[in-house]
């Protein structure tokens, strides 16, 4: 499954649940995790529904692995991951820690995700 196929399956599973849609879009848009076997192979469940590919992330397990050093990544990737997990999985995150140090592009992506989670879905959901 390609990154784009996996992102589409995650989006299909999240459809209609704005916070979940937003978290998935924020993570998928980062292009930092979906291609990684240590992430996709361990923390994403795959299936189909009515012929549509579906996928879901086990946010709790993935965040636990991240905090235990099992998902090495840069500081910015870690922040985006935790913010995505907070939106999609309801995982508490310290915004002061998570949002500090993000570059302008990722700040815009985060603001778009927060608006999306509140029901203001952007035209382009792959931010």
């Amino acid at each position: 499954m390609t990154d784009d196929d996996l992102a589409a399956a995650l989006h299909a599973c999240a459809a209609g649940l704005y916070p979940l849609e937003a978290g998935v879009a924020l993570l998928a848009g980062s292009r930092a995790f979906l291609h990684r076997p240590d992430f996709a192979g361990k923390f994403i469940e795959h299936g189909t529904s009515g012929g549509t590919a579906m996928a879901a992330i086990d946010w709790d397990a993935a965040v636990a692995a991240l905090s235990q050093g099992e998902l090495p990544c840069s500081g910015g990737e870690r922040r985006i991951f935790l913010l995505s997990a907070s939106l999609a999985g309801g995982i508490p995150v310290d915004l002061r820690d998570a949002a500090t140090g993000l570059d302008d592009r990722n700040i815009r992506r985060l603001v778009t995700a927060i608006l999306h989670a509140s029901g203001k879905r952007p035209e382009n959901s792959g931010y």
Side-chain angles (χ1 to χ4, degrees), residues 83-105:
L83 291 162
S84 299
S86 182
L87 287 166
I91 305 214
V93 65
D94 180 344
L95 285 176
R96 181 175 59 181
D97 179 53
T100 301
L102 291 178
D103 61 19
D104 289 346
R105 176 181 172 270

Side-chain angles (χ1 to χ4, degrees), residues 1-121:
M1 182 176 277
T2 69
D3 289 0
D4 290 338
D5 292 339
L6 182 52
L10 288 165
H11 284 293
C13 192
L17 304 170
Y18 292 151
L20 184 54
E21 288 178 355
V24 164
L26 186 61
L27 185 69
S30 76
R31 301 260 181 215
F33 287 93
L34 298 187
H35 70 282
R36 294 176 49 170
D38 62 340
F39 176 73
K42 290 172 93 173
F43 305 109
I44 298 180
E45 296 290 326
H46 303 269
T48 58
S49 178
T52 301
M54 306 283 265
I57 297 169
D58 182 343
W59 292 103
D60 291 318
V63 168
L66 182 73
S67 67
Q68 294 169 3
E70 296 173 18
L71 287 173
C73 57
S74 72
E77 291 168 344
R78 182 179 192 285
R79 288 178 187 98
I80 290 297
F81 184 86
L82 291 173
L83 291 162
S84 299
S86 182
L87 287 166
I91 305 214
V93 65
D94 180 344
L95 285 176
R96 181 175 59 181
D97 179 53
T100 301
L102 291 178
D103 61 19
D104 289 346
R105 176 181 172 270
N106 280 317
I107 290 290
R108 283 190 296 276
R109 292 177 60 239
L110 175 59
V111 169
T112 300
I114 291 168
L115 288 168
H116 185 159
S118 73
K120 295 165 181 61
R121 185 187 287 164

